[in-house]
């Protein structure tokens, strides 16, 4: 998806000391494309489709599959921009690194600060869901206890290293994959034996469902289901051949997740069309129950909890690397920018993230979700603009292919991200802007009232 000139080794980023062994800064390069894709998929939780199933089915007039297809197209533009920037700057830090190298340390810090809002709180949502689901299954055990045990387990695995995380992810993905296979098989057996089927119904919806606006409204909600493809970029310094593997893994993660979402939405609609379920909020349970009864519902609950645990594991690993990058660049205290000599992991950022995750004991899902959405869309906007600034403006790659790859496609990604901003609630904006204001105050203190340059790490070509 990029021209030949786009794939040349850039001159403005330090080539990792070893792209296949151990990076010069201490990271272990152990992740290939399959492991990176698994990290992205676990972060996204393939079964997340069921969390908003009933709501979006009703909103779109039964055209959930069409909404997921539209969301996939929208997210591919931004996923591609992440891949392009990872190709230019194969370092930990994601949007923080890309914005710093493209727009300067000041805007880079504000981008990283907003990105922290997304990444710091995403593990918290998973702990909240784990507590809710397990407390419902075992009412005698308080939800907070399940949360604390989960946080402790995730912290231990992350400290042990990315290899331990990757191995745990195989188990998590395997459990969810087994559920998906069982669900699809049982659902198809049920619908195929029910007589004549309208195979286009998941795209055309119920009678009277007209216009594209409801589909776009649904896809604006569903785009947030794709949060996680961007997390792949945070593992650039632990990836083998990162300039090739990271862009490939980002695109594969986005496409595979989209196909899983689309397929599950399609078979679910055939099994239980809009209007057939009695409770919008519990529609997912009704769909699973219609396919395999109470036994499959119990398995779904187990798989969903495992998915939430895996997502917490991966998201904590991601945010610890962003904090590490900001500490390494001295915009956060230097203690955050060190790796443990034995395990080769950023232990202090991992522990700090765990401490913040304990806020799950007092916060609610609505507040946390609002903050995550704001941070994610800031990062998406910045990364799309970074492609234009780095490739089209700074490197002056403006030929016919350059115009397409370096201006039009990332420009489309930016415009589509602006459209996603319209789906955010007032709570998202108020909390997000408050967090941004706090970051601006911190930056003013760090730079002596903006009289000194913003600190940042200078990664030079080896």
């Amino acid at each position: 998806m990029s021209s030949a000139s786009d794939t040349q080794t850039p001159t403005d980023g330090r080539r990792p000391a070893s792209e296949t062994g151990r990076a010069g800064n201490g990271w272990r390069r152990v992740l290939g494309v399959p492991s990176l894709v698994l990290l992205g998929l676990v972060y996204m939780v393939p079964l997340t489709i069921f969390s908003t199933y009933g709501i979006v089915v009703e909103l779109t007039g039964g055209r959930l599959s069409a909404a997921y297809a539209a969301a996939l197209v929208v997210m591919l533009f931004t996923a591609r921009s992440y891949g392009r920037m990872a190709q230019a700057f194969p370092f930990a830090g994601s949007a923080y690194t890309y914005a710093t190298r493209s727009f300067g340390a000041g805007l880079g810090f504000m981008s990283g600060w907003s990105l922290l809002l997304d990444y710091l709180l995403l593990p918290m949502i998973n702990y909240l869901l784990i507590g809710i689901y397990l407390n419902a299954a075992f009412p005698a055990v308080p939800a907070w206890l399940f949360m604390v045990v989960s946080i402790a387990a995730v912290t231990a695995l992350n400290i042990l290293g990315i290899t331990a995380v990757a191995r745990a992810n195989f188990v998590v993905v395997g459990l969810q994959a087994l559920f998906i296979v069982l669900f699809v098989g049982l659902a198809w057996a049920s619908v195929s034996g029910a007589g004549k089927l309208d195979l286009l119904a998941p795209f055309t919806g119920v009678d009277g469902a007209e216009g594209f606006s409801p589909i776009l409204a649904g896809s604006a909600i569903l785009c947030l289901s794709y949060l996680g493809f961007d997390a792949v970029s945070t593992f650039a310094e632990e990836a083998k051949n990162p300039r090739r593997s990271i862009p490939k893994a980002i695109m594969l993660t986005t496409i595979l997740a989209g196909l899983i979402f689309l397929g599950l939405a399609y078979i679910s609609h055939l099994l239980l069309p809009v209007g057939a379920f009695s409770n919008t909020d519990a529609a997912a349970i009704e769909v699973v129950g219609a396919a395999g009864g109470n036994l499959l519902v119990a398995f779904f609950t187990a798989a969903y909890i495992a998915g939430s645990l895996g997502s917490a594991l991966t998201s904590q690993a991601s945010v610890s690397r962003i904090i590490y990058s900001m500490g390494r660049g001295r915009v956060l205290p230097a203690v955050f920018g060190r790796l443990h000599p034995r395990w080769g992991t950023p232990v202090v950022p991992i522990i700090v993230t765990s401490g913040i995750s304990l806020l799950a004991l007092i916060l609610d899902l609505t507040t946390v979700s609002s903050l995550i959405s704001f941070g994610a869309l800031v990062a998406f906007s910045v990364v799309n603009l970074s492609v234009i600034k780095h490739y089209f403006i700074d490197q002056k790659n403006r030929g016919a292919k350059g115009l397409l790859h370096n201006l039009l496609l990332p420009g489309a990604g930016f415009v589509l991200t602006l459209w996603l901003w319209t789906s955010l609630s007032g709570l998202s904006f108020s909390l997000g802007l408050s967090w941004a204001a706090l970051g601006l105050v911190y930056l003013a203190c760090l730079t002596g009232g903006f009289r000194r340059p913003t600190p940042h790490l200078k990664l030079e070509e080896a």
Side-chain angles (χ1 to χ4, degrees), residues 180-192 267 271 288 290-293 296:
I180 290 172
V181 170
L182 284 174
F183 173 73
V184 171
L186 291 170
W188 182 253
S190 177
V191 299
S192 61
I267 193 68
L271 180 65
V288 174
L296 190 62

Side-chain angles (χ1 to χ4, degrees), residues 53 56-67 197-212 214-215 265-266 269-270 272-277:
Y53 179 81
V56 181
V57 165
E58 287 201 345
L59 177 62
T60 59
R63 294 174 290 177
L64 180 62
S65 296
L197 281 177
D198 182 1
L199 296 178
L200 293 179
F203 293 96
T204 58
V206 297
D207 292 338
E210 297 179 357
F212 202 59
I215 294 175
Y266 183 84
H269 179 88
L270 291 179
L272 204 67
V274 61
F277 45 81

